[in-house]
Amino acid sequence: MDMSLRVEVFATDPEASGEFYRQVLGFEELSRQRADGVVHYLWMGRGTARIGIGTARQVVDPAVRSVPAGTEIVLEVDDIDAEFARVHETGWPLEGGLREQPWGLRDFRLHDPDGYYLRLTSRG
């Protein structure tokens, strides 16, 4: 039986978070739900990766979303050098540079506007 995975994050401002995933990480908006003129949920995709962005019910300290307390969202890409260059050009703050890991993959890391920790990595 096949299985797929999607990730949902909860943002204080789904529009701003959606803009980050669109402009910085290259996702496209697949759909949106709004009520009373306010966006409550965005469905974003890039390749087979899917991220839902919902409205947070309360503000959460971004520090609890980072490793080691939080979760690392890992996005695999075919060309990590091109991805690093594309993300770097946006000016979004990165957590260090592109680096080789002891397990043989290359990656770089950053936080989204709500403090979710992301690692972009080469395919293994």
Side-chain angles (χ1 to χ4, degrees):
M1 180 183 255
D2 286 338
M3 182 184 294
S4 61
L5 174 70
R6 74 181 195 196
V7 174
E8 291 188 340
V9 296
F10 296 91
T12 54
D13 182 348
E15 289 272 24
S17 192
E19 196 61 23
F20 163 80
Y21 283 92
R22 192 174 12 263
Q23 295 297 320
V24 177
L25 297 182
F27 279 71
E28 65 178 291
E29 184 180 309
L30 304 175
S31 68
R32 66 176 45 214
Q33 296 173 3
R34 64 174 63 230
D36 303 322
V38 177
V39 172
H40 292 281
Y41 192 84
L42 293 172
W43 184 235
M44 310 290 291
R46 179 173 167 190
T48 59
R50 298 290 181 265
I51 295 179
I53 304 168
T55 302
R57 303 228 186 265
Q58 63 185 9
V59 176
V60 175
D61 180 357
V64 301
R65 294 189 165 148
S66 294
V67 171
T71 301
E72 183 174 82
I73 300 170
V74 180
L75 300 168
E76 295 180 327
V77 297
D78 291 324
D79 186 343
I80 193 66
D81 294 304
E83 191 69 21
F84 179 79
R86 193 186 64 68
V87 171
H88 188 264
E89 285 177 15
T90 71
W92 191 265
L94 301 176
E95 187 180 280
L98 185 59
R99 57 188 169 221
E100 180 89 23
Q101 298 299 337
W103 52 88
L105 299 178
R106 297 173 64 225
D107 64 36
F108 66 98
R109 296 140 196 255
L110 66 160
H111 290 88
D112 82 355
D114 286 277
Y116 288 101
Y117 190 69
L118 296 123
R119 174 169 50 106
L120 283 84
T121 186
S122 54
R123 294 194 191 275

